[in-house]
Structure formats: structure tokens, C-alpha cells
Amino acid sequence: MARPREFDTIRALDKAMHVFWEKGYEATSLTDLTGAMEISKSSFYETFGNKHELYLSAIRHYGQTMIDRAVVLLEGEGPALEAIEGMFDAFIDKAVGPEGRKGCMLSNCTVEMASRDSDAKAVVAECLSRLRQGFVKAVARGQAAGEISTARDAESFGGYLMSSLSGMQVTAKANPDRRALKDIKEVVLSALK
């Protein structure tokens, strides 16, 4: 008879996500993970399989927490341009804060793993696709309301916003200057008008 788990799986996964987000896949050891998750090695293997499986789960968890929160903001009621600007402002606030040096877990994973790990690449692509679709829906809503230009279709603008945000995330890791990031945001938003 299997013993019941004596830890909260979601809480442990969240802690693992933060370790991977901070250190990356290669630099994270099993000891780092079990220590942060406050579980034994046997519980780790029973529950999460191995480090690679946990990493993929951590990326999915990031998508379900961070990306889904952004998509809710983008797909909410109200002016679409305000939602898009709010998304960029929230990113800037986070980037210049104490957690900013971590960057975006998806961007970090893309740089470190996606070129050599097809599973990680697929999970990152799925998360980024959800965010891109959030931008597309916001743009389409804004175009229908007359607040966003129709010079390009919503798909094109959605891709532009997604790549602009990704570029800002990389820039912010090296230079988390609020004024510089706000300037970039203003240029990005001006393309939608």
C-alpha cells in the first residue's frame, strides 16, 4: 500500500519553478530542487519522475500562472489599448523590481534549452502561442472599437506585440531602466495607432 503524500504538490512545483527560473536547467541540481521543495529524493522521483520531467512541468506551471494571468488582462472587458498598455506596464514594474533580474522563464528556457530539447521547445511554444493569441484578441477588439489601426491585421499586430515584449524582457535583464523601457513601450504602442 502506497503512503499518502505528505506535501502539497502544487506548492512544491511552484518552488521548483522558481529555482529553475532563477538558475536555469543545467545549473539546477537535484539537491537545489529537493531543498527548495522541502521533499525527499524518493518523494521527488515518485511524484515528479526526474529533473527533466519536473522542468517541463515547471514551464507548464509558469504558463498556467504567469501567462494565463496576462491573457486574462488582455482578454478582459474595457478598452483594448488600455489592456495592452497595462500588460507592458505590469512587465516594466516587474522588470525594475527585485525579481526583475530573473527575466522571463520562457525567454530563459528558449535561450538555454529550446534549440536542443524538443520537449522544452514545444512547451515554450505552446505558452507563447497562448500569449500571442491574447494579444491578437485584444487587437481585434481594439480594431472593432476603432481604437487600434486596421493598417495591419490582428494576427500581424499580435506577433509584433509578442516579439516586442520578448525583446523588452531580454533588454530589461541587462538594463532594467524604467525610463528606457517606458520609451520602448511608447514606440511599440504608437505602431498600433
Side-chain angles (χ1 to χ4, degrees), residues 40 146 149:
S40 67
S149 168

Side-chain angles (χ1 to χ4, degrees), residues 18 23 27 33 42 48 59 64 67 71 78 98 104 106-107 109 113 124 134 143 152 169:
H18 283 281
K23 299 182 83 170
L33 292 167
S42 61
F48 299 104
I59 300 167
Q64 291 166 346
I67 300 299
V71 170
C104 168
L106 297 178
S107 295
C109 178
M113 299 291 289
V124 168
Q143 288 176 324
R152 301 259 185 227
Q169 289 166 337

Side-chain angles (χ1 to χ4, degrees), residues 101-173:
R101 64 183 175 77
K102 290 185 348 185
C104 168
M105 185 173 181
L106 297 178
S107 295
N108 297 350
C109 178
T110 300
V111 170
E112 181 184 15
M113 299 291 289
S115 66
R116 58 190 165 95
D117 184 327
S118 60
D119 293 331
K121 179 179 180 178
V123 175
V124 168
E126 192 276 325
C127 291
L128 292 177
S129 176
R130 286 200 325 261
L131 182 56
R132 185 178 186 278
Q133 284 309 307
F135 277 125
V136 169
K137 288 178 182 177
V139 168
R141 189 173 81 247
Q143 288 176 324
E147 62 179 303
I148 294 178
S149 168
T150 56
R152 301 259 185 227
D153 62 31
E155 289 285 333
S156 298
F157 274 140
Y160 169 71
L161 291 167
M162 181 72 231
S163 65
S164 296
L165 184 61
S166 294
M168 284 178 70
Q169 289 166 337
V170 173
T171 299
K173 277 187 84 165

Side-chain angles (χ1 to χ4, degrees), residues 2-191:
R3 288 180 30 198
R5 284 196 187 110
E6 296 178 8
F7 63 93
D8 180 338
T9 306
I10 300 301
R11 185 171 173 262
L13 179 58
D14 192 66
K15 288 181 176 194
M17 177 190 77
H18 283 281
V19 173
F20 283 127
W21 190 358
E22 177 80 30
K23 299 182 83 170
Y25 180 78
E26 293 295 336
T28 298
S29 70
L30 183 58
T31 302
D32 294 331
L33 292 167
T34 56
M37 297 164 77
E38 301 173 355
I39 62 174
S40 67
K41 286 184 182 181
S42 61
S43 292
F44 174 89
Y45 288 117
E46 282 177 21
T47 306
F48 299 104
N50 59 41
K51 177 182 164 182
H52 187 258
E53 289 173 26
L54 177 61
Y55 185 63
L56 297 176
S57 294
I59 300 167
R60 286 185 194 98
H61 181 66
Y62 181 90
Q64 291 166 346
T65 55
M66 306 297 186
I67 300 299
D68 288 358
R69 191 177 309 147
V71 170
V72 166
L73 174 68
L74 290 169
E75 293 180 356
E77 308 250 336
L81 202 52
E82 277 182 27
I84 293 167
E85 184 170 14
M87 172 76 188
F88 278 82
D89 285 338
F91 158 73
I92 292 169
D93 288 343
K94 190 167 190 131
V96 300
E99 297 262 319
R101 64 183 175 77
K102 290 185 348 185
C104 168
M105 185 173 181
L106 297 178
S107 295
N108 297 350
C109 178
T110 300
V111 170
E112 181 184 15
M113 299 291 289
S115 66
R116 58 190 165 95
D117 184 327
S118 60
D119 293 331
K121 179 179 180 178
V123 175
V124 168
E126 192 276 325
C127 291
L128 292 177
S129 176
R130 286 200 325 261
L131 182 56
R132 185 178 186 278
Q133 284 309 307
F135 277 125
V136 169
K137 288 178 182 177
V139 168
R141 189 173 81 247
Q143 288 176 324
E147 62 179 303
I148 294 178
S149 168
T150 56
R152 301 259 185 227
D153 62 31
E155 289 285 333
S156 298
F157 274 140
Y160 169 71
L161 291 167
M162 181 72 231
S163 65
S164 296
L165 184 61
S166 294
M168 284 178 70
Q169 289 166 337
V170 173
T171 299
K173 277 187 84 165
N175 182 24
D177 177 80
R178 182 179 296 276
R179 182 71 256 154
L181 294 171
K182 281 191 171 279
D183 287 346
I184 294 168
K185 177 198 78 172
E186 293 303 323
V187 171
V188 169
L189 294 179
S190 72

